[in-house]
Amino acid sequence: MKTIPGVPRDWRAASMCVAAAAVLCAPALRAQDSELADRAKRAGEVLSELTSVPDRSPPKALLRQAVCVAVVPGVVQAGLGIGGRAGFGLVSCRTGTGWSWPAFVGLKGGSFGLQIGAQSADVVLIFVNENAPRTIAGSSFDIGGEVSVAAGPLGRDVSAATDYKAQAEIYSYSKSKGLFAGIKIAGTKWELDYSANKKAYTSAPDSLRGGRRASVAAQLRTTGTAAPPIVQPFLESLQEHVPGGRA
């Protein structure tokens, strides 16, 4: 190995190791980015599917009352014989001018309406409580315990005068085969996916990287027009399929 005058041999060796590690890690980082991009894209598709059939979609009155919306595609069985489920998705909340930067989240435990023979289920949660952004940013909570949940209503003929906020804090929907159904998912644990947030928002300002509670709270207050491209498919679906609201 050719020596460089004035540079100690051990420094040169260390520099070469760092460079080699960067080359080896690059494919893994690209794979992680692709996985998160796929998650955001699929979340947008699931939301579109939920609202595409008027007679089998949430009432417009409920969508207008939505404060936050979470979509968790592909919830799967977590372990044989224990009835657990696990899935990862995104959540966004309304701001004064649209939908917020999405935060990456996870669901664990509970039952999501998996039909016989189904391998996974897509889950949509509609939050209607005004304190939902604060609850979500609190890291974790039990759905059906600390936060009330009800099976989401379906159909365009449901009364527009219904006060959904007086009945539950979250309305839940699930699809494992065919069309969506309103499913009560009590016994499910909600968690923030800090690791995914930090990977997706690595180039964002520190206050919006989502690696801690305060940062997630800031994400949910910030309109998503300037959010990274990786989450835009989810935001575009929200803007198209859950219009109107408090603003």
Side-chain angles (χ1 to χ4, degrees):
M1 181 174 65
K2 185 178 179 181
T3 61
I4 302 176
V7 179
R9 184 181 299 273
D10 54 346
W11 286 15
R12 296 196 301 272
S15 298
M16 293 178 64
C17 289
V18 170
V23 171
L24 292 174
C25 289
L29 293 174
R30 285 195 295 269
Q32 291 172 351
D33 289 344
S34 177
E35 179 184 343
L36 296 177
D38 289 344
R39 191 189 305 183
K41 180 175 181 291
R42 180 57 189 147
E45 293 171 347
V46 168
L47 189 59
S48 175
E49 293 164 6
L50 173 64
T51 58
S52 64
V53 182
D55 291 330
R56 297 294 301 174
S57 63
K60 290 183 179 179
L62 173 58
L63 295 178
R64 283 195 294 270
Q65 292 184 36
V67 176
C68 304
V69 175
V71 180
V72 183
V75 177
V76 298
Q77 182 78 31
L80 295 175
I82 63 174
R85 305 288 193 273
F88 300 92
L90 298 90
V91 63
S92 178
C93 298
R94 290 194 196 272
T95 68
T97 55
W99 289 96
S100 74
W101 284 46
F104 286 80
V105 300
L107 297 178
K108 294 182 180 180
S111 176
F112 299 99
L114 275 174
Q115 298 177 12
I116 295 175
Q119 300 299 313
S120 65
D122 298 324
V123 175
V124 178
L125 304 177
I126 298 177
F127 294 73
V128 296
N129 188 283
E130 294 294 331
N131 291 323
R134 184 185 307 171
T135 301
I136 291 168
S139 186
S140 66
F141 55 87
D142 294 324
I143 298 176
E146 301 164 76
V147 180
S148 61
V149 64
L154 293 166
R156 57 186 172 185
D157 295 328
V158 176
S159 173
T162 301
D163 184 6
Y164 293 102
K165 297 182 182 182
Q167 301 178 21
E169 296 173 86
I170 300 174
Y171 290 89
S172 54
Y173 297 87
S174 175
K175 181 189 75 171
S176 57
K177 286 185 176 181
L179 299 173
F180 275 91
I183 299 291
K184 186 174 181 178
I185 61 169
T188 303
K189 191 172 188 63
W190 168 283
E191 295 181 344
L192 292 173
D193 190 348
Y194 290 120
S195 176
N197 278 333
K198 288 187 288 186
K199 291 171 185 173
Y201 298 128
T202 183
S203 61
D206 184 63
S207 61
L208 290 172
R209 287 181 186 170
R212 46 195 172 83
R213 293 183 185 181
S215 182
V216 172
Q219 287 180 331
L220 300 180
R221 293 192 302 266
T222 305
T223 302
T225 51
I230 193 171
V231 295
Q232 288 300 328
F234 179 53
L235 287 172
E236 291 168 3
S237 185
L238 277 169
Q239 292 161 5
E240 179 179 356
H241 301 293
V242 193
R246 300 176 301 164

